[in-house]
Every structure is written in C-alpha cells, then in structure tokens.
Amino acid sequence: KMSGLFLTCEVFFDPDDTTNSSLYLFRETLAIADVDTHIKRLMESGLWTPNSVACVRDEQRQTYADQLESIDVVDLGPGIKAGRFNHPAYPSNADRWHDWLDCLK
C-alpha cells in the first residue's frame, strides 16, 4: 500500500494551488536525493506555486496515510518518488498529474 510512504518519507506538497491537491513528492528519509531540483522544475513550468513548499508534519503522517487513496506512484530517481492520491475533500487532477510526469521524467 503506497500510503505507507507518508510514514516513511519526507513528504512535500504545494499548499497554495488546488490543481495540485493530493499530489506529492516523497524523499526517502535517509536519501541524499535532491527533491529541490524537482520542485524548482515544477515551479519553472508553472506547475507549482513559486516559493510555496509545505511538508507533512510528523503528527500528521498517520492521518495522511489513513485518509488518502493511492492512485499512482512513480520513481523519479534514487530516493525520490512522485505520487498521485485522492482524498474525498481534495480529489487529485488527472491532467495536472500527467503534466507533472511530463515535466519530471
């Protein structure tokens, strides 16, 4: 179950663009992977709000894992994944997800 990523990784998201609802970048906890490069690429492509990066806090992890339904998770490189999930109040946007994949792969 891919929602376990919320328990084991650093989780990054764009808190200000509702088109990015339930789309996340994951960095494995001990990975030296550069998630900032991926976020910067999304920002430069207009797919992430400039200067707006949030992380799931430790006390929120279990709630995210319990409430989000996994749709798709892709590897972007060692230690980095992008994930599309759904939440009843925050459904993800399929077109935006495909734009993310086009930008990041």
Side-chain angles (χ1 to χ4, degrees), residues 7 59-68 87:
L7 303 176
E59 64 272 16
Q60 298 172 311
R61 291 176 179 278
Q62 190 63 57
T63 302
Y64 275 76
D66 292 344
Q67 294 184 359
L68 285 155
H87 182 281

Side-chain angles (χ1 to χ4, degrees), residues 4-105:
L5 291 169
F6 289 98
L7 303 176
T8 61
C9 294
E10 291 178 274
V11 187
F12 301 84
F13 63 96
D14 178 349
D16 294 322
D17 185 343
T18 57
T19 314
N20 287 335
S21 288
S22 299
L23 301 181
Y24 302 92
L25 291 174
F26 298 91
R27 177 170 54 200
E28 292 172 9
T29 305
L30 297 176
I32 55 167
D34 182 9
V35 75
D36 296 334
T37 299
H38 296 289
I39 292 172
K40 185 171 184 249
R41 194 177 305 151
L42 288 166
M43 286 180 183
E44 289 171 349
S45 299
L47 300 173
W48 190 298
T49 307
N51 304 313
S52 182
V53 179
C55 292
V56 173
R57 296 190 311 268
D58 287 342
E59 64 272 16
Q60 298 172 311
R61 291 176 179 278
Q62 190 63 57
T63 302
Y64 275 76
D66 292 344
Q67 294 184 359
L68 285 155
E69 170 199 4
S70 174
I71 297 174
D72 193 15
V73 174
V74 298
D75 282 308
L76 298 177
I80 298 272
K81 293 179 181 1
R84 177 182 175 209
F85 293 79
N86 261 344
H87 182 281
Y90 307 102
S92 61
N93 180 305
D95 290 336
R96 177 54 65 97
W97 173 242
H98 293 296
D99 290 343
W100 269 37
L101 295 181
D102 288 344
C103 175
L104 294 172
K105 287 198 152 197

